[in-house]
């Protein structure tokens, strides 16, 4: 028995030494010139953004694209540049061009997006419903994000209202995260101001919007989280909740506060 343990110990030591030797060889190879292993920097795997947001222009029509206030790569710690470029320069732009086309076909010239969303006759047209929602929702989404986000002022009416309605900012965030993760398939999670002035957390499917009469809970959106996979899949894959946490890190509460002030008027 003792002999077996002794042999096992020798074999284990020999294996450990061999393994150590392999590691040393690998280290030597990395420093050497012929068989050196190229260390791949994962950052280099992300393609460079093709262009600049200022190059993105909608086709002639009633609506034009709203300029992005930051570069595609400026939110990169939380939302990668490729996602931002595709989202702003392809998806958002697509909604605008398709809306202009649909309006032209329907012979509608309403140039106020809020009024268009509230116009039941216009929204009965599926192309107008999807693309007018797409335009408004993305305009809001890109506007409330920032590489240098502000928190709410302690004395702001919005913070008081949030504390009254949800208990705290953190409890509001938990509610928004729940709405965002529970939304089945593509859609949006919202913080809205209802007609009676109260705040509510809601969600809508596809590109529907709380200003439309077709949604369950109506109101004016002041914060919107895009939960379509195109908003997060490259970096977060199926982990929508992680993307929502990341979104809160680039959410500029000063913009949400501005939206709140406008919604109250
Ligand atoms: Mn989107």
């Amino acid at each position: 028995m003792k002999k077996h343990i002794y042999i096992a110990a020798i074999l284990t030591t020999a294996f450990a030494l061999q393994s150590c030797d392999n590691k040393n060889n690998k280290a030597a190879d990395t420093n050497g010139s012929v068989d050196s292993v190229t260390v791949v920097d994962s950052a280099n795997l992300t393609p460079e953004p093709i262009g600049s947001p200022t190059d993105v222009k909608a086709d002639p029509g009633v609506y034009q694209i709203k300029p992005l206030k930051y570069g595609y790569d400026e939110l990169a710690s939380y939302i990668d540049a490729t996602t931002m470029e595709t989202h702003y320069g392809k998806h958002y732009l697509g909604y605008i061009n398709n809306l202009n086309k649909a309006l032209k076909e329907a012979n509608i010239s309403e140039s106020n997006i809020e009024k268009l969303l509230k116009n039941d006759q216009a929204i009965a047209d599926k192309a107008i419903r999807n693309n007018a929602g797409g335009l408004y929702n993305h305009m809001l989404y890109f506007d409330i994000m920032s590489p240098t986000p502000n928190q709410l002022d302690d004395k702001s009416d919005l913070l008081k209202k949030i504390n009254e309605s949800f208990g705290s900012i953190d409890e509001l965030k938990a509610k928004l995260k729940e709405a965002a993760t529970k939304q089945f398939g593509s859609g949006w999670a919202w913080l809205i101001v209802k007609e009676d002035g109260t705040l509510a957390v809601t969600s809508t499917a596809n590109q529907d919007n709380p200003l439309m009469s077709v949604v369950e809970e109506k109101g004016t959106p002041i914060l919107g989280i895009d939960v379509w996979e195109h908003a997060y899949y490259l970096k977060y894959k199926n982990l929508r909740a992680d993307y929502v946490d990341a979104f809160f890190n680039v959410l500029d509460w000063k913009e949400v506060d501005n939206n709140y002030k406008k919604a109250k008027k």
Side-chain angles (χ1 to χ4, degrees):
M1 185 66 182
K2 255 190 184 173
K3 199 178 170 189
H4 283 148
I5 293 171
Y6 181 66
I7 290 168
I10 289 175
L11 287 172
T12 308
T13 310
F15 182 76
L17 285 172
Q18 175 69 31
S19 164
C20 190
D21 200 35
N22 280 344
K23 274 181 202 153
N24 287 340
N25 281 343
K26 269 186 196 157
D29 282 346
T30 308
N31 293 327
S33 56
V34 181
D35 291 313
S36 67
V37 177
T38 308
V39 177
V40 178
D41 179 357
S42 64
N44 289 339
L45 294 173
T46 308
E48 286 290 310
I50 308 152
S52 153
T54 52
D55 295 336
V56 182
K57 299 273 184 280
D59 298 335
V62 179
Y63 291 94
Q64 288 299 303
I65 198 160
K66 192 167 178 188
L68 194 65
K69 296 180 289 185
Y70 40 84
Y72 290 137
D73 58 351
E74 284 189 77
L75 312 178
S77 306
Y78 302 102
I79 299 175
D80 62 281
T82 307
T83 295
M84 285 302 297
E85 178 172 46
T86 311
H87 205 176
Y88 179 84
K90 301 277 189 279
H91 292 276
Y92 177 31
L93 178 70
Y95 293 119
I96 299 165
N97 286 336
N98 289 334
L99 175 62
N100 285 333
K101 206 171 140 229
L103 289 174
K104 202 175 170 188
E105 280 167 13
N107 211 11
I108 294 172
S109 57
E110 178 57 70
S111 61
N112 179 305
I113 189 67
E114 283 91 358
K115 284 185 184 165
L116 184 63
L117 292 169
K118 289 176 180 174
N119 181 331
D120 289 347
Q121 218 180 329
I123 292 306
D125 181 319
K126 261 196 173 175
I128 294 177
R129 175 174 171 174
N130 289 335
N131 292 297
L135 180 150
Y136 180 95
N137 299 350
H138 287 87
M139 191 166 65
L140 177 79
Y141 174 76
F142 288 123
D143 261 359
I144 58 172
M145 291 194 289
S146 167
T148 53
N150 295 284
Q151 298 308 307
L152 277 178
D153 193 286
D154 278 348
K155 289 172 191 152
S156 71
D157 285 349
L158 178 57
L159 185 61
K160 276 183 215 160
K161 194 83 183 171
I162 287 170
N163 289 339
E164 258 173 50
S165 315
F166 306 102
S168 66
I169 284 267
D170 283 344
E171 283 172 80
L172 165 61
K173 283 183 188 170
K175 274 226 150 68
L176 282 163
K177 191 172 170 181
E178 192 189 359
T181 48
K182 279 190 176 168
Q183 170 58 42
F184 184 77
S186 299
W188 289 77
W190 305 101
L191 175 63
I192 61 168
V193 182
K194 296 207 283 187
E195 209 158 278
D196 62 4
T198 58
L199 296 178
V201 169
T202 69
S203 63
T204 55
N206 304 316
Q207 294 297 352
D208 281 352
N209 179 291
L211 291 169
M212 296 174 177
S213 68
V214 289
V215 302
E216 262 176 53
E217 202 162 14
K218 284 178 276 297
T220 305
I222 60 171
L223 186 171
I225 311 174
D226 189 341
V227 300
W228 283 57
E229 285 184 344
H230 67 228
Y232 64 88
Y233 206 84
L234 274 184
K235 192 175 172 83
Y236 296 97
K237 299 293 181 282
N238 58 321
L239 305 175
R240 190 187 277 184
D242 288 0
Y243 152 71
V244 175
D245 286 335
F247 170 83
F248 288 136
N249 284 309
V250 289
L251 174 60
D252 191 347
W253 284 96
K254 201 175 165 190
E255 287 299 329
V256 181
D257 193 33
N258 287 340
N259 293 339
Y260 179 62
K261 284 171 186 157
K262 275 185 246 162
K264 279 203 308 176
K265 273 179 193 164

